Amino acid sequence: MTTNTAARPRLADASVVSSVRGWPSWAVIILALGSTLAGAAIDGLTVGVLSWGLRIGFYLGVLGAALLVRRGSIFTAMVQPPLVLVVGLVIGGMLFTNIGGLYGTALRIIATFPTMAMGTAAAVLIGLIRIVAQPLRPKSRRSTPPAHG
């Protein structure tokens, strides 16, 4: 039996599953933002205010990004959640609800701070676990020096 090591991605290119190639940083940003905007659209079209759909879309997007991003770009997935939520709130508010101008948008951003904090904490936790579990350099094998006798 032979193993095909050529098909296995480099360590820096692996997703959370080391045998699967990870997504580039720009793609996971689009994933997180698209998921957040999809949740905002569901909220705006069903209840008229940004609520649980936005939150669920945001969580799914940032967690998916942290799991799918290539290991060499994990930092992007760890720092993007606050920006994704703010952009999702502003664009989602403009397209799908009537937030009430700049003041209403600012209040909505402040009100979603717990959502932002939890999504960021989860993405950072997944990123830190991946950094420890998937080091970019193979562990060096230290040989024991010969015993002098």
Side-chain angles (χ1 to χ4, degrees), residues 21-101:
R21 184 172 302 281
W23 293 15
S25 57
W26 61 267
V28 296
I29 292 170
I30 292 172
L31 167 72
L33 188 57
S35 179
T36 303
L37 287 174
I42 291 169
D43 275 346
L45 298 173
T46 57
V47 293
V49 294
L50 301 180
S51 182
W52 284 103
L54 173 87
R55 287 178 177 89
I56 291 169
F58 170 71
Y59 291 139
L60 290 176
V62 297
L63 294 177
L67 294 171
L68 292 173
V69 72
R70 57 188 293 274
R71 171 58 183 84
S73 300
I74 192 68
F75 185 72
T76 301
M78 293 168 65
V79 299
Q80 78 175 350
L83 299 172
V84 165
L85 187 61
V86 169
V87 170
L89 276 169
V90 171
I91 293 174
M94 289 186 329
L95 294 177
F96 305 112
T97 66
N98 185 9
I99 285 184

